[in-house]
């Protein structure tokens, strides 16, 4: 990952430069991945019965 791509991802998830003092590159990557997962419509969702059976 290049520096411009990293900074673009930070802007896309709303991080400021002061926020980057508290976060690692890995944390920013995970936040970006989770942001993409928030928009995904899962076709099958687990119910309580599924968790009980697990």
């Amino acid at each position: 990952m290049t520096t411009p791509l990293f900074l673009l991802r930070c802007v896309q998830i709303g991080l400021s430069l002061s926020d980057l003092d508290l976060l690692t590159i890995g944390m920013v990557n995970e936040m970006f991945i989770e942001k993409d997962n928030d928009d995904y419509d899962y076709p099958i969702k687990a119910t309580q019965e599924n968790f009980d059976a697990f």
Side-chain angles (χ1 to χ4, degrees):
M1 175 187 306
T2 63
T3 302
L5 179 59
F6 177 76
L7 293 174
L8 174 64
R9 288 185 174 175
C10 291
V11 169
Q12 288 174 332
I13 56 178
L15 295 176
S16 66
L17 287 177
S18 61
D19 293 334
L20 294 180
D21 288 336
L22 305 172
L23 301 171
T24 65
I25 293 171
M27 292 171 136
V28 173
N29 285 336
E30 290 290 326
M31 291 169 69
F32 188 76
I33 291 168
E34 289 298 321
K35 177 189 157 290
D36 284 345
N37 287 343
D38 289 344
D39 298 332
Y40 184 75
D41 185 28
Y42 293 95
I44 300 172
K45 294 184 181 179
T47 63
Q48 185 61 46
E49 292 174 357
N50 298 127
F51 282 108
D52 293 342
F54 181 69

